[in-house]
Amino acid sequence: MNFMMRRWVGLLLGVALWLLPFAATATMLGDANCDGVRDAADEPETVLRIFTEVDDACAGADANDDGLINAADLIALQNLLRPAPTPVPAPGPRITFFGIATADGKLASTLGELEPGLPVYFRVAGGGFKIFVEAAPGPSGKGLAFRLFDSNPDNPARRPDLQIQANQPLGNGSPAVCDAGGVPGIDPPDFSVTQPISDALNDLACQFDVATSSRGACTQDSFGQTAFLDPNSRGQYCLTVDSTFRFPDGDTLLTVQLRDSGGNLGAPARLIVRVGGAMPATFTPVPTPTATVPRPTRTPSFTRTPSPIATATATRTVTRTASATRTVTDQPTLTATAALSPTSTSTGPPPPTATQTFTPTRTRTPTVTATRTPSRTATRTFTPTVTFTPTVTFTPTTTPSITPSPTPTTAPGPIVSFFGLTSASDRPLDPAAVENGIPVYEPSGLGFQIVVEGAIGPSRRQPGNSSFSDDPSARPDLQIVASQPLGNGSPEVCDSILPVVGGVPAIDPPRFDADQEITDAINDLGCRFDNGSGLSLSRPCGMTSPGPSSTGCVMLSESGDLGCVGPNSKVQFCARISRFVALPAGDTLFLVRLRDIAGNLGEPARMIVRVPES
């Protein structure tokens, strides 16, 4: 072995011998006797070391980790030995999931957590995604509450059951409550009972939609099925973030808490939405500092190595989602695949020209021609003596000369067995009044549903199940119009997909004339009805059961049974009223009729929805 090698070996052995005490004497804070356990036996040892100089490598007596051993370490040790108080859980609803979903309802991935319970979601732009909150009953045992708006400008205690705030303004940050503008920020997050905070809570909550069953959720599971993302969830609140509530660049902290039907608040949840720039690296939470501090001797100061804040991953994956594509599902009553509507986008080969034919089933009643058979024969003889034949022959089978008017018959198609509203929590509402035989409903806020049910009519044929037709000149089986514009009254048909979402034009007075304008309005409003899976179809009746397997949209009992209201109903159409199709102040008259699978139309039904002046 040459001289240089012997020198390096000796140096390495020296370093190893120098480090040996460090590895052998690693001690936890407060373990004054260095037995590897922090317990009551460390108290007298700490007192001994405060008043007696002890030459060893055990540094555990420095319980407050300040480099000195004195009376402060005894207090620190006693605090370490004191059992941590058991936290008392908030009695209100338990938030089972608080997250971000893509525009089509798929769960967005996180960058990680800044700290436990604080995930960070990255979005390239400040809109085009969903915020959702799922919950289950909390320790109080009370049910979830779904009031999204409860505001009084002179009473800050009036708040919604969903209480969510952002620390930065969303959109234009308008301070007006539940307007068409943005939402002001609350920084730092604060739920104090003050009027500005209550206004901001109402302003953001009133824009959410509510789902009380998994089939009405705004999210999709890993199989692409509409569902809550936590199996324990019993309700979901969802907001589609568009340009009105656009998030600013940078980090926005969202904080949410919920209130149950008994008025109990639950524990809050938080997340961060990071907007703008390139996709950052994923990271891990800041680790909790370990209590083990290796020190060979007691010295007045220590050099600390900070814990790593993030672990960067160099791989950047950017997945771009194409613009929303409407999937056209052939209805059972169609004879061929219909072409996409002008507002739809197809990514496959060009669709065939619509060959859907609606051949009206017209039953022509033969015209009955009454045949008059002269029943009397008169012979006129112009002679001085007028001879009158006294015998007049009447044929007893003579066809009557006057045909009586036929008795009016009702339309042969389906009967509207229920036409009304449900609350935001899916419970059926009672009419506030009946005027001229028309029920009048007075819902509060947004999130309520319009429900139409159909039963078999005189034709004895099953009601059809479509609420939208891709053929611009054709009408669906559900035909409904309103006397006032809904939302912004956009004339575009079925403009219900982000980023451009419009309302529905009015047909005043409501009617079903054969005009293209009326056909467009029927399809525009009809496409807002869905079967719980995002398709413009009806829900079958007669399959009432609790939980996600239910097919109806009306809650029939406190136990959560969902189904149809009418006992003879065969189909049910449901449309939830969001801010995009919000009703204007005053009375809106709705007119609806249904068509069966043979093309027969039924008698129309009417309903008035009365919205008070704000």
Side-chain angles (χ1 to χ4, degrees), residues 165-169 184-190 197 251 253:
Q165 56 183 248
N167 73 330
Q168 294 205 69
I186 301 175
D187 191 23
D190 186 7
I197 293 176
D251 286 4
L253 173 64

Side-chain angles (χ1 to χ4, degrees), residues 190-431:
D190 186 7
F191 288 101
S192 301
V193 185
T194 64
Q195 196 63 51
I197 293 176
S198 295
D199 289 346
L201 295 177
N202 272 296
D203 195 12
L204 185 51
C206 81
Q207 314 296 339
F208 277 72
D209 291 323
V210 168
T212 56
S213 69
S214 190
R215 294 182 65 85
C218 71
T219 49
Q220 297 182 18
D221 61 19
S222 58
F223 300 101
Q225 300 297 315
T226 299
F228 293 153
L229 296 188
D230 189 295
N232 299 311
S233 299
R234 291 297 177 266
Q236 185 189 77
Y237 310 82
C238 186
L239 169 68
T240 299
V241 180
D242 59 7
S243 58
T244 304
F245 308 103
R246 189 178 186 87
F247 277 58
D249 288 347
D251 286 4
T252 299
L253 173 64
L254 293 176
T255 308
V256 62
Q257 64 182 17
L258 302 175
R259 187 172 59 192
D260 63 23
S261 58
N264 302 295
L265 287 170
R270 302 179 301 160
L271 63 79
I272 289 176
V273 180
R274 180 170 295 175
V275 175
M279 171 75 79
T282 58
F283 55 87
T284 56
V286 177
T288 302
T290 178
T292 302
V293 181
R295 288 192 300 248
T297 58
R298 188 163 55 253
T299 56
S301 62
F302 296 92
T303 302
R304 301 185 181 277
T305 303
S307 301
I309 295 178
T311 302
T313 301
T315 303
R316 174 187 173 191
T317 304
V318 180
T319 303
R320 300 190 178 274
T321 304
S323 59
T325 304
R326 179 178 181 87
T327 303
V328 182
T329 304
D330 292 341
Q331 307 304 322
T333 57
L334 302 183
T335 58
T337 303
L340 295 172
S341 63
T343 59
S344 301
T345 304
S346 175
T347 59
T353 304
T355 59
Q356 177 184 1
T357 57
F358 289 92
T359 305
T361 305
R362 299 181 179 176
T363 304
R364 297 186 177 272
T365 304
T367 304
V368 179
T369 305
T371 304
R372 293 185 179 180
T373 304
S375 59
R376 64 176 69 178
T377 304
T379 303
R380 295 183 180 180
T381 305
F382 292 95
T383 58
T385 301
V386 178
T387 303
F388 182 77
T389 305
T391 301
V392 180
T393 303
F394 291 92
T395 305
T397 59
T398 303
T399 303
S401 59
I402 299 177
T403 303
S405 300
T407 303
T409 59
T410 58
I415 297 169
V416 177
S417 50
F418 178 77
F419 185 29
L421 303 183
T422 71
S423 65
S425 58
D426 300 337
R427 291 174 171 82
L429 296 177
D430 293 326

